Amino acid sequence: PADQDAVTRVVVNLGKALGAYERLLTCGTSRFDRWMNGEASALSPAEQRGAALFVTKEQCVTCHTGPFLSDERFHDVGLRPATVATVFLDVGDEGAATGLRALIADPLDTHGAYSDGDDGRTPKSVPPGMEGAFKTPRLRCISGRPSFMHTGQLRSLDEVVAFFDRGGDSAGFPGTSELAPLGLTPSERADLVAFLGALDG
């Protein structure tokens, strides 16, 4: 048992060191940041219109807020299971409901003996509404990603914006979607995609 504890502490400390390093990584200052700091020409007119949509009609800031443009919380957006990259079919994934149960039971969570302290991220029990909920992704440098959503089944920002515009999918997933149709015009969808591209550093 003493050797097991010593090995576990080494592995945990390695994980903490990797986590500390990863928190130092950023994608750099974006044109959006320059615009927010007063450089009016940093964003094109389409990107500026997209930024306005992001905080008004689309209400993206409800979940995509803060410096990383994520509330770091779990939300159900009603993504219907589909084949991902022709490799697997994402069926039966209960999202945070399953993940949080496993985390709470894990001796290496923030409540355990190997933790440096409980920062409040891990709940003591699974809160209601976690079925089908997944963590809000950070939007910094999003346009360079090869795929989107927790499954990677959407392949472009155009598809992502269209998904949210239609209010997600109507059935075929656990939980209850938080989305409602937005009613964007084609030009508004294009402006929003343009704005998301301005988040690249």
Side-chain angles (χ1 to χ4, degrees):
D3 289 344
Q4 272 188 333
D5 181 67
V7 169
T8 300
R9 288 191 182 279
V10 168
V11 173
V12 166
N13 287 337
L14 175 63
K16 291 175 184 177
L18 288 171
Y21 170 72
E22 287 177 346
R23 283 190 292 277
L24 295 175
L25 302 176
T26 68
C27 66
T29 303
S30 68
R31 290 184 298 108
F32 171 69
D33 295 312
R34 295 195 335 253
W35 183 65
M36 289 295 290
N37 286 322
E39 188 181 326
S41 63
L43 295 186
S44 71
E47 291 165 340
Q48 291 181 34
R49 290 190 303 270
L53 285 168
F54 191 85
V55 298
T56 57
K57 185 174 181 179
E58 272 243 353
Q59 286 297 304
C60 303
V61 294
T62 303
C63 302
H64 292 285
T65 187
F68 298 112
L69 299 175
S70 170
D71 64 3
E72 304 291 323
R73 297 181 185 271
F74 298 97
H75 296 279
D76 185 339
V77 296
L79 183 66
R80 180 180 292 119
T83 302
V84 180
T86 69
V87 177
F88 69 95
L89 182 62
D90 180 52
V91 174
D93 189 345
E94 294 183 2
T98 301
L100 286 173
R101 274 194 297 274
L103 177 62
I104 290 166
D106 193 314
L108 301 181
D109 83 336
T110 58
H111 305 296
Y114 301 99
S115 175
D116 291 334
D118 183 0
D119 61 3
R121 272 187 287 181
T122 307
K124 302 242 187 245
S125 62
V126 178
M130 293 294 102
E131 291 79 18
F134 293 86
K135 193 171 182 182
T136 305
R138 296 176 175 188
L139 296 185
R140 294 292 185 164
C141 290
I142 192 169
S143 73
R145 296 177 191 166
S147 58
F148 304 92
M149 309 308 279
H150 67 276
T151 59
Q153 69 195 54
L154 301 183
R155 305 296 290 179
S156 71
L157 287 175
D158 291 305
E159 289 182 28
V160 172
V161 170
F163 171 83
F164 281 93
D165 184 31
R166 70 178 180 260
D169 297 327
S170 59
F173 49 88
T176 303
S177 175
E178 300 173 25
L179 299 184
L182 299 170
L184 297 175
T185 66
S187 62
E188 286 174 326
R189 287 196 301 270
D191 288 345
L192 194 56
V193 170
F195 166 68
L196 292 172
L199 299 174
D200 287 357

